[in-house]
Amino acid sequence: MNTNFIRLLCYFILLILMQDMVVDKLPLGTYIRPEIYTLFILLLPFNYPPISMLGWAFALGLGIDIFSMDIIGLHTAALLVLAYVRPRLLKLVSPKDDMESIATPSYHNLGWRSFIIYVMLSIAIYNTVLFILDTFSFHNFFHMLLRIISSTLATTFFIILIQVAFISKRR
Amino acid sequence: MDNLFRFLIGIRVLLSFVILEVIALLLFTASSYYQQSVVVSKLHSIRGSLHEQVTHFAQYLDLRETNAMLAAENTALHNELACYRFVHSTSPGTVTNHAGAPLFNYIPANITDNSVNKQHNYIMLDAGAADHVAPDMGVVTQNGVIGIVMAVTEHYAIVKSLLHTDWRCNVRLVHAGDFGPLQWDGLTYNEAVLHDIPQHSNVQTGDTVVTSGYSSIFPPDIPVGVVKSYEIKRGNFYEIRIRLFADFKKIRHVNIVSFLYRHEVNTLNELRDEY
């Protein structure tokens, strides 16, 4: 448990730094922001305790808020929602017996179709909360919708890319 | 009571979610206050130094492009500086008469047409009578004598190039101190021949040749070239090959030398001829 915690802490720091130092510096324009740090919540093991997951989400959100110099609480609130709905989404896309597994969700154990649906749905929910809080009005609804869709697609693409390139090879 | 505990344990995930979410939203609405807190500002300063490192690294990645850009800019500035330096070092203020008044004025011009491959080469300039250019004015660059104005129109001037086998320019050897006419022999565009230097003169290869100033055409001490080789011809005189500083294939900008008292000198010369 302890080594597992330290391993997660390393990922945690690495993802925040990657987001701030690399991904946010990509010249992608105002509509697209790949949020690779959501990977942390999405790829926790199937059976990870929900309350611990909420704790991680809270810490990760604060870290991102502070590091991206955004409004404090913005990413925190959105990530908490993501962490809360994650078990329900997993239940939706995976067979029941997987939920007891210590494995992490991947295209190996979920299959490509279910994995992409899982990632995309999660990120869509996350982005919806994030952008509604960020805009704090429905004034430019179409504008906001466009940002939600483009960022969701970009984030899904990046997360699958990272999983294929780095994470699944190790296993 | 047991039932209440059981109920709370049953919704513990939802409960923690709601509590944390409320905290997040409270932070969110009171954000400006927390932004100014010590911890946040400390973290921002750490982030700032991290970003500096990343920027340093990123700068390495496009060094090649930056180098090319700087080199181009450097060349442009060098060219500009050379023009200014020339104008400054040989500016009218440095060549003055006994009373300290300037003797020469400079008119900048661009070369519009030039050749080096004939025996009688001419240069066209984009300055003319409207710019107070007149025939018999000298044309120079920072690298030496270019030629002499032959004729002008309103906006253009035609210049007899130094690379014109019929034209002579009076120059001086800096160390030996002797004067003589410099003339192009028509062989290569970066060499000319200095005639009429007496045999007793202390000619050395590498000696610099400058304009003599014994005319109302060129100011004195404009560098022209260096002695490349010399030999005795026609009995008592050296024939000295001079490698010219000016690259006649590359010159673009020149200055036309206007001697401010040329009318007085011409009048005196005419009076002399009358007597």
Side-chain angles (χ1 to χ4, degrees):
Chain A
M1 184 60 197
N2 210 2
T3 55
N4 197 30
F5 177 80
I6 289 167
R7 206 171 58 110
L8 283 178
L9 193 67
C10 289
Y11 284 147
F12 179 87
I13 293 166
L14 186 74
L15 278 172
I16 290 177
L17 290 179
M18 277 281 286
Q19 179 70 36
D20 190 44
M21 303 285 165
V22 182
V23 178
D24 282 353
K25 288 190 184 300
L26 297 174
L28 293 175
T30 51
Y31 278 95
I32 299 169
R33 188 191 178 204
E35 291 119 342
I36 61 159
Y37 53 89
T38 51
L39 195 86
F40 184 87
I41 302 295
L42 291 181
L43 299 190
L44 282 171
F46 282 106
N47 67 346
Y48 203 77
I51 294 180
S52 306
M53 193 154 66
L54 287 171
W56 277 116
F58 190 80
L60 183 66
L62 272 185
I64 292 293
D65 281 332
I66 288 166
F67 255 72
S68 59
M69 305 189 70
D70 223 319
I71 307 165
I72 290 182
L74 174 65
H75 294 88
T76 317
L79 275 172
L80 281 169
V81 173
L82 175 65
Y84 185 71
V85 300
R86 193 193 98 125
R88 285 145 192 83
L89 286 172
L90 274 178
K91 231 176 258 171
L92 199 75
V93 296
S94 73
K96 283 278 183 282
D97 52 331
D98 266 359
M99 291 305 290
E100 305 304 319
S101 160
I102 56 154
T104 65
S106 73
Y107 59 89
H108 289 305
N109 48 31
L110 287 178
W112 272 112
R113 190 167 152 274
S114 295
F115 182 67
I116 291 174
I117 289 171
Y118 162 64
V119 172
M120 214 182 245
L121 261 181
S122 309
I123 302 300
I125 290 167
Y126 170 74
N127 273 333
T128 307
V129 177
L130 183 75
F131 284 117
I132 286 174
L133 276 179
D134 198 15
T135 351
F136 223 80
S137 77
F138 291 94
H139 188 63
N140 278 322
F141 182 73
F142 179 72
H143 194 81
M144 194 174 74
L145 199 68
L146 200 64
R147 290 184 70 178
I148 290 172
I149 292 168
S150 58
S151 285
T152 300
L153 292 176
T155 304
T156 307
F157 174 76
F158 268 73
I159 284 175
I160 287 168
L161 196 74
I162 289 170
Q163 215 205 8
V164 169
F166 300 110
I167 295 168
S168 58
K169 256 183 204 162
R170 260 202 340 253
R171 287 176 198 282
Chain B
M1 208 57 181
D2 261 8
N3 278 341
L4 179 63
F5 272 124
R6 209 165 292 137
F7 173 70
L8 285 180
I9 286 166
I11 61 155
R12 66 191 193 283
V13 174
L14 177 66
L15 207 62
S16 13
F17 166 69
V18 168
I19 290 168
L20 287 173
E21 189 72 30
V22 166
I23 293 172
L25 290 174
L26 280 177
L27 284 171
F28 180 68
T29 48
S31 175
S32 60
Y33 172 74
Y34 292 100
Q35 286 287 27
Q36 292 161 3
S37 74
V38 178
V39 176
V40 171
S41 65
K42 191 75 197 165
L43 282 166
H44 277 180
S45 77
I46 293 169
R47 176 182 182 273
S49 66
L50 273 171
H51 266 265
E52 204 177 315
Q53 303 295 324
V54 172
T55 312
H56 273 302
F57 178 70
Q59 280 167 348
Y60 275 111
L61 296 181
D62 46 43
L63 267 187
R64 183 186 293 271
E65 202 177 317
T66 311
N67 260 351
M69 212 176 67
L70 283 177
E73 193 181 338
N74 212 13
T75 312
L77 288 174
H78 256 298
N79 289 338
E80 206 170 322
L81 178 65
C83 290
Y84 284 122
R85 187 175 281 155
F86 166 70
V87 170
H88 180 72
S89 65
T90 58
S91 67
T94 60
V95 181
T96 56
N97 64 7
H98 67 280
L103 284 172
F104 294 97
N105 191 16
Y106 291 85
I107 303 159
N110 295 314
I111 290 176
T112 56
D113 192 17
N114 186 17
S115 69
V116 296
N117 52 6
K118 301 168 190 150
Q119 294 296 294
H120 305 273
N121 293 297
Y122 296 93
I123 298 169
M124 183 91 86
L125 302 180
D126 65 356
D131 307 290
H132 309 293
V133 178
D136 289 335
M137 284 181 175
V139 178
V140 294
T141 69
Q142 67 270 26
N143 287 328
V145 170
I146 299 303
I148 183 168
V149 177
M150 283 176 63
V152 293
T153 61
E154 193 63 26
H155 297 291
Y156 288 94
I158 189 90
V159 173
K160 193 186 277 182
S161 171
L162 180 64
L163 306 182
H164 187 292
T165 50
D166 292 342
W167 183 58
R168 294 166 155 231
C169 169
N170 206 22
V171 296
R172 179 169 63 90
L173 287 161
V174 171
H175 285 291
D178 294 277
F179 297 93
L182 183 72
Q183 189 174 17
W184 192 46
D185 58 1
L187 292 181
T188 69
Y189 70 93
N190 52 16
E191 280 176 25
V193 180
L194 175 56
H195 300 282
D196 297 348
I197 301 296
Q199 202 180 354
H200 59 75
S201 172
N202 179 25
V203 179
Q204 291 168 333
T205 56
D207 197 354
T208 309
V209 175
V210 297
T211 53
S212 67
Y214 279 9
S215 73
S216 57
I217 297 171
F218 295 109
D221 299 323
I222 291 180
V224 175
V226 291
V227 175
K228 190 193 173 201
S229 63
Y230 53 92
E231 57 184 334
I232 295 175
K233 287 262 178 84
R234 287 186 287 146
N236 293 333
F237 293 98
Y238 280 117
E239 191 180 298
I240 304 169
R241 291 201 74 82
I242 307 294
R243 192 174 56 75
L244 300 170
F245 288 135
D247 185 348
F248 277 78
K249 271 186 170 173
K250 287 182 183 164
I251 40 172
R252 292 287 174 272
H253 309 285
V254 295
N255 279 284
I256 300 162
V257 184
S258 169
F259 183 53
L260 296 175
Y261 303 102
R262 62 189 287 119
H263 291 299
E264 291 185 34
V265 172
N266 288 346
T267 311
L268 282 173
N269 281 339
E270 281 164 20
L271 284 172
R272 182 194 62 195
D273 290 340
E274 278 175 29
Y275 285 106

